Amino acid sequence: MAENGGVACKCVPSKRSLYGFVEVRFAERRKARRNLRNVSVIPLFNSTSKWRSVAGNSRILSMDAREKSRSMLLESSKHKKVPIFVMMPIDAFCIDASGSPRIRKIKAITVSLKALKLAGVHGIAVEVWWGIVERFSPSEYNWSLYEELFKIITDMGLKLHVAFSFHSTKRSSNGKGGVSLPMWIIEIGNSNKDIYYRDRNGLSDYEYLTLGVDQIPLFCGRTALQCYEDFMFSFVNNFNSYIGSVIEEISVGLGPCGELRYPAHPSGDGRWKFPGIGEFQCYDKYMMEDLKMAAHKEGQPQWGDRGPHNAGCYNSLPSGVPFFEEGQESFLSNYGRFFLEWYSGRLISHADAILAKAADALKNCQVNKQTSVILVAKIGGVYWWYQTFSHAAELTAGYYNTALRDGYDPVATMLSRHGAALHVSCLEMMDGESPPAYYCSPEGLLQQMRTVSKRKLIQLIGRNTNERFDKTGFWQIHANCYHPQAEAKDECRFVNGTNNQEQLTSLPLQHFF
């Protein structure tokens, strides 16, 4: 287990452009040694989302083991090198006329990778899509695209950050473009829309399966958890030789955009726009059945009939919405506390189950290895209405975080059991940049993450929410790379090999397409 909490910053490219950016982790004081942490970067998977995340109890996922495995890169804090990972764009892949996945413009990619290596880039972040690998039939995995891609990347001497992506980039069941869920999953969903999250009006979100089906064998005899588990074990079996050497980090998708959250603020279909509080997503029949059971167990069966009836709609503001105020029917009531504990608790249990499977898969494949790989879990950076009493936007997203309750503490506790990083964003944002009427506090959210990561002895990885190239945003990231509680000699400097700010913020990688 890591001996400190810390934060890393990650600069994020847009979905359709390729830029290299720098990540660094805030180094807390360590008892044994005070060397610069080696870190990596993955960019934002969906640049339109309003969010914007490693410690372990096992040898495989320990930070100490990871530092030793990278001694060739960082021999001491005097070098102060920060590995840069560049995002592989989604449209680098396509499905050809035969239905097989393939890499587009391989020659251009190869040339670009060579240029990246010469520029000092450490590795490539690659999303490994469920909808590509297990596309047509259950339990039939086609890893050919990733075998080819990983070989190209490895031959260039670059490292990998792999992101298991169990979500879709499409906003509807028949949306065009992007990456969908597996076709056989979509066929099941066409006859049973309750496998997706639903709001109180019955509208479905097709980006990710509802956690209500985690334990229900609806998918050709398998539960959703078994589908995720089988996918991860198949990956490990195919890429065992890469793990811990070429593959240094693995991010596990836990919800929409790969984040551990409910799709309370859906973008792209017109239901929600910033800074709306969002809506609770618990109205598929499987979650409603679970809610009813929880209410009966509580001795209040009437609480299981529905979610809060007075919680407004997607674009409501918290003021004037009874559930998010301080009345007798608010989130402070007995019912309000019951519902929010259930709603957030189910989300944490969902992540707990998936990360346990991921940790087991990695442990089995590395039992005789001396190298390590870090497990990463992303959460949503919901920073609007953070300065209000109820934190309404966080509540609908599944984070039971209010002025009276630290909602990220139980999340961090769960992650620490699996050696997983808490991954959040907002590092380039300042409170004063948002309209005062929205009570935003990305800085307050980040500070809360620092505190809980330190308390739970896990690492906090961060990145920026939006693509920015201005000096103000850069220096805010730079400032956030110094933990305010750390002594000067313990701080992690935000520098790269050239100390060139322009090179840090805008590597010329547009030719990747």
Side-chain angles (χ1 to χ4, degrees), residues 105-259:
K105 303 182 179 179
I106 294 181
K107 290 184 179 180
I109 288 177
T110 303
V111 171
S112 296
L113 291 175
K114 185 179 295 186
L116 293 176
K117 179 63 177 178
L118 292 173
V121 169
H122 183 66
I124 305 298
V126 177
E127 293 160 308
V128 178
W129 293 95
W130 186 25
I132 289 179
V133 175
E134 196 180 356
R135 183 174 180 81
F136 297 110
S137 300
S139 301
E140 292 186 8
Y141 306 99
N142 182 355
W143 297 105
S144 60
L145 183 149
Y146 293 102
E147 290 170 349
E148 183 180 10
L149 180 61
F150 289 1
K151 185 179 186 304
I152 293 172
I153 292 171
T154 303
D155 287 346
M156 294 297 169
L158 294 163
K159 302 297 184 179
L160 278 164
H161 177 118
V162 168
F164 294 148
S165 299
F166 298 116
H167 63 285
S168 167
T169 61
K170 296 184 177 181
R171 300 299 176 186
S172 65
S173 60
N174 59 355
K176 297 181 179 180
V179 179
S180 70
L181 294 176
M183 301 305 295
W184 60 276
I185 291 285
I186 293 175
E187 290 179 6
I188 294 172
N190 288 339
S191 59
N192 181 8
K193 292 190 181 301
D194 283 291
I195 67 171
Y196 304 114
Y197 287 114
R198 303 183 83 169
D199 63 21
R200 62 192 178 95
N201 292 316
L203 297 176
S204 299
D205 186 281
Y206 300 98
E207 190 175 355
Y208 188 81
L209 298 178
T210 170
L211 58 79
V213 299
D214 279 356
Q215 303 288 353
I216 302 176
L218 299 173
F219 307 100
C220 301
R222 293 186 295 170
T223 67
L225 283 179
Q226 289 172 330
C227 291
Y228 305 144
E229 179 184 13
D230 291 346
F231 180 93
M232 292 187 289
F233 270 86
S234 178
F235 177 88
V236 167
N237 289 336
N238 276 270
F239 299 103
N240 190 356
S241 62
Y242 287 85
I243 294 174
S245 53
V246 176
I247 298 174
E248 297 182 338
E249 297 180 350
I250 293 180
S251 175
V252 182
L254 300 169
C257 296
E259 299 174 326

Side-chain angles (χ1 to χ4, degrees), residues 84 99 103 105 124 185 248 262 371 416 437 470:
I84 302 173
I103 304 172
K105 303 182 179 179
I124 305 298
I185 291 285
E248 297 182 338
Y262 293 101
T371 54
S416 69
D470 60 288

Side-chain angles (χ1 to χ4, degrees), residues 4 23 34 114 124 139 204 221 248 276 304 316 345 361 374 406 409 428 438 454 503:
N4 66 290
E23 173 201 82
R34 296 183 176 116
K114 185 179 295 186
I124 305 298
S139 301
S204 299
E248 297 182 338
S316 296
I374 290 181
D406 186 343
D409 184 271
E428 91 290 5
Y438 301 161
K454 181 178 181 179
Q503 190 168 1

Side-chain angles (χ1 to χ4, degrees), residues 434-476:
S434 300
Y438 301 161
Y439 293 94
C440 299
S441 185
E443 295 179 77
L445 177 62
L446 180 57
Q447 181 56 46
Q448 185 175 358
M449 298 301 173
R450 283 194 184 105
T451 301
V452 72
S453 68
K454 181 178 181 179
R455 184 167 63 244
K456 297 301 179 181
L457 302 177
I458 66 173
Q459 289 241 337
L460 178 64
I461 300 176
R463 67 163 182 251
N464 58 307
T465 301
N466 304 301
E467 187 180 77
R468 290 180 62 166
F469 303 102
D470 60 288
K471 291 184 178 180
T472 301
F474 171 81
W475 287 113
Q476 178 68 3

Side-chain angles (χ1 to χ4, degrees), residues 254 260 346-356 414-415 418:
L254 300 169
L260 175 61
R346 291 293 287 113
L347 195 64
I348 293 172
S349 296
H350 172 69
D352 195 14
I354 297 178
L355 291 173
M414 177 272 298
L415 295 181
H418 306 296

Side-chain angles (χ1 to χ4, degrees), residues 277-296:
I277 59 176
E279 289 190 13
F280 293 109
Q281 306 289 313
C282 59
Y283 292 91
D284 62 85
K285 69 179 181 180
Y286 305 106
M287 288 198 70
M288 289 304 299
E289 288 171 359
D290 191 274
L291 177 60
K292 289 179 181 179
M293 288 190 292
H296 276 279

